[in-house]
Every structure is written in C-alpha cells, then in structure tokens.
Amino acid sequence: MNVATFASANKLITGRDSLTQLPAEIERLGVQRPLIVTDKILIQAGGQVEELLPMEAGIFSDVNPEPEIEIVDLCLQVIREGNHDGLIAVGGGSAIDIAKAASVMATNEGSIELYVGTNLVKKPGLPLIAIPTTAGTGSEVTNISILSDKKEQVKKGIVSPYLLPDVAIVSPMMTLTCPPSVTAASGIDALVHAVEAYISKFASPITDALAIGAMKLIAVHLPKAYACPDNVESREAMVTASLMAGLAFGNAGVGAVHALAYPLGGRFHMAHGVSNSLLLPYVMRWNKIACLQKLRDVAVALGENVQGDNDDEAAEKAIAAMTRLCRYVEIPQSLREFNIPETALAEMAEEATKQTRLLKNNPRTLRKKDIEDIYRAAY
C-alpha cells in the first residue's frame, strides 16, 4: 500500500509583523507562566519576546550551539521549579530542539534516554511556540529533536508527533542580526534539507513542490542575505525557504548528508549547518546515478540551463551549482580545514552506518566502505 502523510506545526504564522501575534497565541493556548528558552547570545531577542507578553515570563538561556542531553535536564529543572506551563523557543535549531524535548519530558516519566528513537513518547508535552532566529533548520515545523551524547560522542534523535510545536511564528525581522557565518551555514543547511527531501525514497508530490520552491528561493536570496544582512526582502525569502524545506524534509526525511554529518558534530563538535554544507556536493556526486532525473530538476531550480544536456550532464550542473553557492557564502570545502585527523575517517564511517533512520531514506544504498570513500573525497 502506497501511503503518504503530511505533518507540521499546528499553526504557522509568517510575515514581517508576525511576532505581534504572540500575545494572542499565548492566551489561546492558556499559558499563564511561560518559559522562554534561548541562548546567551540571543538573550536580547528573548527579552524582546518577553516584552510582548501580557504576563511575567522566565528565561532559560543555557542552550549551546550543539546542545547535549544534559541541557534538557537543566531546562526541565527550571520548568518544575518555576511551575511553568508553556514554552517559547527563541533561537536556531538548538534552542527549539531543547524546548521540544523539555516540553515532552515535563509530562512524560523517566529518563530522556527512554525516548531516543521513533514514536516512543507517550504523552503530549507542554504547549510550545517556536520562534526561529535563523533561516535554516526548519525545526519549528518538524517532529524531531537532535541532541548530543557527550559520553558516546554521537548525536541522537527523538522523533515523535508530540514534538511538533503548537505554533511557529516565522518573522524575517528576527534574523536581521544573524551573523554572516550563521546566515551562510544555516542557509546551506536549508538547501541540504530541500535537496535531500526531494531525492528521498519517501518524497511525495507535496514535499517535492515545497523542496523545489525552497531551492529556487535559496539560489537567489542566500547570496543577497549573506552580502547584505539588512536586506529584509532576502531575509524574508530565506525564512520562507527554510520553512518550506523544513516541511519537505519533516515529511520526506533526509538522507546520507545528515547521516555522515552526525559523527562530525558528535565527535568533533562541528556545527550542524557547516557539516551538512561541507558534505553536500560529495554525497550528491555519490547519489547521482540513483537520482539523475531528480538532480536535473535540482539544477533547473538552482538556475542552471540544462537544455540540450543529458541527465548526467544536468546532474553535474546541479552539483556544480551547489558547490558554487557554498563558495559564494564562504563555506569551508574540506574536512582538513577543521583539523580532523585522517585516521578518524574509518571510525566516523562506522558511526555513520548506524544512522539507519536516515540512510533508509537515501536513494542509493551505502556500505561502510562507500561512506569512508565519501569522507576521503571531502578530506
């Protein structure tokens, strides 16, 4: 039986003035004592959100860029001590993922380790509003929380419909202070989401349309947002693209790029967007023979002229366009630039083979040797 489902945050609010709707949404959800979940760099943005609220809010600002499982426990402690009955995540994917996990841990018993995996969360969490400050992760509309395990040096995922935020408020104005390096890494991360969703074995006509639409916006507007951070039009296009890519991969899944990126984050603490961005062209070249026609569509979405080209030539143009876009926004091109020892590649390949939740979506089957070959090509 061929069945496709589609899930998202319960309510999406977008536009330059969308943040003004926060008070009404807090009231609608019946939240009396909200907790704002953010990081120390974005504490000012958290304060901006707090000023809009009709009641006093707490602030948890201990989120870090690649958040560990222990951060969820700290957030949960603050929730319980403050008797908070709802969460407002303000930040990139890290803050939103911590808030997602903390919201369900506040209503489900036991250790968070019990819920690592798919569909293991038993009950809905506290009401959650997600307000992204980057254009990349799409976490505001997905049902997954990615956390780092310091002991095992790997990233782990909790996947559950109960992690979908109740409301996503997506305003380009929240991204205007995003540093160029974060704009670049998060923007290419959104491109990875769109491309991997489009070539996924579980893609559908709905996710395909969202993925292609996201690619078109990113190709035009990411360089502009990077070059001119206060370009509101391009910032708005990028948050829209990130949202669309999030909806696409949240339903179709992502594949080998993410599977190979996880060991880089877990072992070497490389930022998620950077690791995805670096690996994208190398994985796509490996995948090419399994999805030639789809990569032809990617080439067109990225602005390439493929008229008269065969599918292989068009696919190469898609990969070249991805590589060029990464260079435009100064994404590093090799693992060597991060001082990763070549001796670690085989161990990383072994770790990546365990990411079966992701690898099953990939259009081409990867063995350990294949993964190691991709790492070596990217080295």
Side-chain angles (χ1 to χ4, degrees):
M1 183 169 60
N2 190 2
V3 176
T5 61
F6 191 87
S8 175
N10 185 52
K11 187 173 185 179
L12 306 179
I13 304 175
T14 63
R16 300 181 188 186
D17 297 325
S18 56
L19 200 59
T20 61
Q21 302 304 301
L22 176 61
E25 292 305 312
I26 282 287
E27 182 178 356
R28 181 179 68 84
L29 293 171
V31 175
Q32 299 295 320
R33 294 184 59 80
L35 177 69
I36 296 169
V37 179
T38 188
D39 62 47
K40 288 181 170 57
I41 295 174
L42 287 168
I43 194 73
Q44 186 174 354
Q48 179 184 346
V49 168
E50 186 180 18
E51 290 174 2
L52 291 170
L53 297 172
M55 73 285 286
E56 185 178 350
I59 294 185
F60 177 81
S61 61
D62 287 340
V63 176
N64 53 27
E66 299 295 317
E68 299 91 358
I69 289 172
E70 290 79 7
I71 302 298
V72 178
D73 294 330
L74 290 175
C75 186
L76 184 60
Q77 181 179 344
V78 172
I79 290 170
R80 288 172 173 163
E81 289 176 353
N83 198 28
H84 295 289
D85 59 353
L87 304 179
I88 303 170
V90 181
S94 297
I96 297 174
D97 281 5
I98 288 293
K100 286 177 177 179
S103 76
V104 295
M105 289 309 301
T107 58
N108 288 268
E109 297 178 354
S111 164
I112 190 171
E113 294 282 359
L114 296 174
Y115 304 106
V116 171
T118 302
N119 294 329
L120 299 178
V121 180
K122 306 298 182 185
K123 302 176 185 176
L126 297 177
L128 171 62
I129 296 175
I131 304 173
T133 60
T134 64
T137 70
S139 184
E140 70 273 11
V141 290
T142 64
N143 66 344
I144 184 167
S145 174
I146 301 296
L147 304 167
S148 294
D149 186 319
K150 288 193 297 186
K151 295 178 183 176
E152 298 183 25
Q153 292 189 317
V154 295
K155 288 192 172 185
K156 295 181 176 180
I158 302 172
V159 184
S160 168
Y162 295 132
L163 291 182
L164 287 164
D166 295 281
V167 182
I169 299 178
V170 183
S171 167
M173 312 312 290
M174 296 298 289
T175 70
L176 290 178
T177 58
C178 198
S181 61
V182 177
T183 296
S186 57
I188 298 294
D189 192 24
L191 178 64
V192 174
H193 293 155
V195 172
E196 288 213 286
Y198 191 64
I199 65 173
S200 168
K201 290 180 179 178
F202 300 98
S204 70
I206 296 172
T207 60
D208 280 353
L210 287 163
I212 288 292
M215 291 179 223
K216 290 179 177 178
L217 288 172
I218 293 166
V220 173
H221 290 283
L222 177 56
K224 293 180 180 180
Y226 180 75
C228 187
D230 60 355
N231 184 328
V232 178
E233 180 185 357
S234 288
R235 289 291 194 182
E236 186 161 24
M238 283 305 300
V239 295
T240 301
S242 175
L243 176 65
M244 293 169 70
L247 290 169
F249 93 83
N251 290 279
V254 287
V257 175
H258 277 72
L260 271 66
Y262 277 10
L264 293 171
R267 183 181 284 252
F268 297 105
H269 310 293
M270 188 185 296
H272 176 69
V274 173
S275 57
N276 273 344
S277 305
L278 189 154
L279 290 167
L280 175 63
Y282 302 100
V283 175
M284 287 306 111
R285 179 155 284 113
W286 173 260
N287 278 334
K288 185 178 71 168
I289 63 171
C291 53
L292 282 171
Q293 291 181 325
K294 282 219 159 185
L295 285 180
R296 184 186 192 95
D297 297 337
V298 171
V300 174
L302 296 180
E304 296 295 303
N305 181 2
V306 299
Q307 188 172 359
D309 294 334
N310 61 39
D311 286 344
D312 185 78
E313 291 167 337
E316 281 296 326
K317 284 188 175 181
I319 296 167
M322 295 174 201
T323 304
R324 186 167 57 249
L325 188 55
C326 288
R327 286 176 179 161
Y328 279 164
V329 296
E330 301 182 273
I331 295 292
Q333 299 295 300
S334 71
L335 296 174
R336 194 186 306 270
E337 295 179 54
F338 292 90
N339 297 318
I340 293 171
E342 193 170 4
T343 54
L345 300 185
E347 292 180 1
M348 291 196 307
E350 179 64 34
E351 291 171 17
T353 61
K354 299 174 184 177
Q355 300 297 331
T356 54
R357 175 180 62 84
L358 304 172
L359 292 174
K360 68 179 174 60
N361 305 326
N362 202 64
R364 186 177 179 183
T365 301
L366 282 86
R367 302 161 296 173
K368 178 184 174 183
K369 180 184 180 301
D370 303 325
I371 295 172
E372 190 172 343
D373 285 346
I374 293 172
Y375 280 141
R376 293 196 183 281
Y379 194 74

